[in-house]
Amino acid sequence: SFPTRRSSDLLDKDRPDMRSFITNIDHTKSGSYVSGLIKIATALVFPPLQLGLVMANVWTETIPGQWFIINIIWEGSMVLLCFIAIMDWEYQCVYICGAVYILFMAMMATVRADVRTKVGCERGDWLTDFLVCCTMYPLAIPQMHAELSAHSAAEGGTKNAV
């Protein structure tokens, strides 16, 4: 007979993870659910607003506001493609929009992986980040924003505050 180990024995429960869970309404843990719902609704309707700040904090920015502008271009291209399809000018634009969405989520998953690295979270991988971003991006964006804000506050400086 083979010796067996439970998978729970292989995990270190004390390794660092994110401060908030992905399904939390208030990722800042300040007790304000209204503020959390506003951030989630903002991320649902206009992702570049918070995501641009997160990207600027994680990646270098050569031009002020470049990540915000890049996110506007991604989002605008998806809206334009959906508009073209809805107006029945060219329905295949829906498929192109789906491909643009997957690429946008791959970029967001890369940002999320870099956020985890920056805040010292050892749990998770890029594939999990990709799945989270594809299915729950309105929750992932405020979580990344809150994690970076808490990390910069813990470092004691507002130099990299989000």
Side-chain angles (χ1 to χ4, degrees):
S1 107
F2 293 102
T4 58
R5 289 183 71 180
R6 293 180 291 171
S7 60
S8 62
D9 294 338
L10 301 175
L11 295 177
D12 178 14
K13 64 179 173 138
D14 296 324
R15 72 180 175 170
D17 57 352
M18 295 258 194
R19 292 175 177 89
S20 66
F21 195 65
I22 188 70
T23 57
N24 287 1
I25 299 296
D26 178 28
H27 289 99
T28 60
K29 296 185 179 182
S30 66
S32 174
Y33 290 111
V34 174
S35 172
L37 286 172
I38 290 171
K39 288 180 181 176
I40 291 170
T42 303
L44 177 66
V45 176
F46 194 61
L49 194 61
Q50 293 178 54
L51 189 59
L53 294 172
V54 170
M55 292 170 83
N57 189 281
V58 174
W59 297 338
T60 58
E61 192 172 50
T62 55
I63 302 169
Q66 83 180 34
W67 296 117
F68 179 73
I69 293 167
I70 289 169
N71 281 311
I72 292 289
I73 292 169
W74 278 100
E75 191 76 17
S77 66
M78 286 187 279
V79 169
L80 180 65
L81 287 167
C82 284
F83 178 74
I84 290 171
I86 289 170
M87 295 303 292
D88 207 20
W89 294 333
E90 187 64 44
Y91 187 74
Q92 282 74 20
C93 286
V94 170
Y95 303 113
I96 298 170
C97 182
V100 171
Y101 179 80
I102 294 297
L103 289 172
F104 184 65
M105 292 303 127
M107 181 178 68
M108 190 185 300
T110 305
V111 172
R112 186 171 160 81
D114 290 345
V115 166
R116 281 190 299 98
T117 301
K118 186 169 184 170
V119 301
C121 175
E122 296 177 8
R123 295 179 191 257
D125 54 21
W126 187 89
L127 183 59
T128 305
D129 292 335
F130 178 72
L131 294 173
V132 164
C133 290
C134 282
T135 58
M136 297 183 286
Y137 79 88
L139 296 172
I141 294 172
Q143 183 193 32
M144 290 187 287
H145 189 267
E147 292 294 327
L148 285 172
S149 296
H151 178 70
S152 65
E155 285 184 338
T158 57
K159 172 183 67 136
N160 292 329
V162 181

